[in-house]
Amino acid sequence: EAQVTQNPRYLITVTGKKLTVTCSQNMNHEYMSWYRQDPGLGLRQIYYSMNVEVTDKGDVPEGYKVSRKEKRNFPLILESPSPNQTSLYFCASSRRLAGGYPRDEQYFGPGTRLTVT
Amino acid sequence: GQQLNQSPQSMFIQEGEDVSMNCTSSSIFNTWLWYKQEPGEGPVLLIALYKAGELTSNGRLTAQFGITRKDSFLNISASIPSDVGIYFCAGQAKGGNNRKLIWGLGTSLAVNP
């Protein structure tokens, strides 16, 4: 089954304790992206990756890091989490068209609900 | 960041009724997408639109890409209880390497059986 998986689904942590949220897709998609979803603010892009070893900032990258060492995986790293990073996080992926641009039909993972106290 | 104007914010309807929601933008879009999100899940793509004027159906759902390229609507006919969820529109405003989607804030749909 084609899917995007995220782990963990729920995480409660304390300020400053480094954490990683994993994301994996089995569709051989080149493009992957991380979003956070907050009430009243909708979905905001954190980072994206066009392909292995190619990553760039989205709208709200502060306090986050990503890496893309393998095509299928795109982990989100919070080096020193703070309470304002409490949010619902989604990983998404999409395939690339022949012209080189990713198709816009992004497929989302189930989400990771993070609480930082 | 930029957001789309999505309306209505919420709807509470009776089973069997038709539903209509729309999104507008101040920018021209090349792509309009409609997603549905259920509690505890990620958004799921319902319909993708790539051409101005395009009308596309997916079962009881129909969506159109506005002629001006600044709006789109989604209709749900004969609603059923499993239609409950939050519906999001998303648009892709320009080309470039990051085909970043611009999102609406969602329309929350409740269906009374």
Side-chain angles (χ1 to χ4, degrees):
Chain A
E1 181 191 353
Q3 59 183 355
V4 179
T5 56
Q6 294 177 229
N7 281 293
R9 294 289 311 274
Y10 302 91
L11 179 61
I12 301 174
T13 190
V14 295
T15 299
K17 185 176 180 183
K18 180 178 178 179
L19 66 92
T20 299
V21 183
T22 65
C23 172
S24 182
Q25 50 92 7
N26 62 0
M27 295 170 278
N28 202 37
H29 285 171
E30 282 85 5
Y31 184 92
M32 297 185 75
S33 180
W34 275 102
Y35 292 88
R36 59 178 290 174
Q37 186 177 38
D38 302 288
L41 297 175
L43 280 154
R44 294 179 293 169
Q45 190 183 52
I46 302 170
Y47 268 93
Y48 67 96
S49 170
M50 292 289 292
N51 212 326
V52 175
E53 302 291 0
V54 182
T55 63
D56 208 345
K57 297 176 181 177
D59 292 322
V60 288
E62 293 77 22
Y64 304 95
K65 283 175 56 178
V66 293
S67 69
R68 188 90 181 276
K69 293 183 168 45
E70 304 165 283
K71 196 173 187 179
R72 64 182 293 130
N73 296 323
F74 189 43
L76 179 69
I77 303 155
L78 284 71
E79 294 269 4
S80 183
S82 61
N84 64 13
Q85 292 178 298
T86 292
S87 186
L88 181 57
Y89 290 87
F90 290 103
C91 179
S93 73
S94 63
R95 66 184 174 93
R96 175 174 285 186
L97 296 176
Y101 295 115
R103 197 167 180 89
D104 302 294
E105 298 170 5
Q106 293 186 33
Y107 296 88
F108 284 78
T112 295
R113 185 165 292 282
L114 172 65
T115 302
V116 183
T117 61
Chain B
Q2 182 185 359
Q3 280 177 340
L4 300 177
N5 295 315
Q6 185 172 351
S7 64
Q9 268 191 319
S10 61
M11 304 181 75
F12 187 82
I13 62 170
Q14 294 294 124
E15 183 176 0
E17 289 183 3
D18 295 344
V19 172
S20 185
M21 59 191 79
N22 68 80
C23 270
T24 60
S25 167
S26 56
S27 309
I28 290 174
F29 280 3
N30 296 322
T31 302
W32 283 97
L33 304 171
W34 285 93
Y35 285 84
K36 178 187 178 186
Q37 185 178 19
E38 296 184 19
E41 301 296 330
V44 174
L45 182 66
L46 299 173
I47 293 178
L49 302 159
Y50 296 99
K51 289 186 203 175
E54 182 180 355
L55 185 72
T56 298
S57 293
N58 178 5
R60 293 177 295 105
L61 278 62
T62 302
Q64 184 157 30
F65 193 142
I67 289 290
T68 64
R69 299 172 76 181
K70 293 183 177 181
D71 62 347
S72 177
F73 72 75
L74 175 71
N75 285 346
I76 305 173
S77 63
S79 59
I80 58 178
S82 63
D83 289 333
V84 165
I86 303 176
Y87 292 79
F88 291 97
C89 61
Q92 186 263 323
K94 60 182 179 181
N97 281 336
N98 183 18
R99 299 275 275 197
K100 184 176 72 175
L101 295 177
I102 311 298
W103 293 84
L105 293 183
T107 294
S108 178
L109 178 63
V111 179
N112 191 28

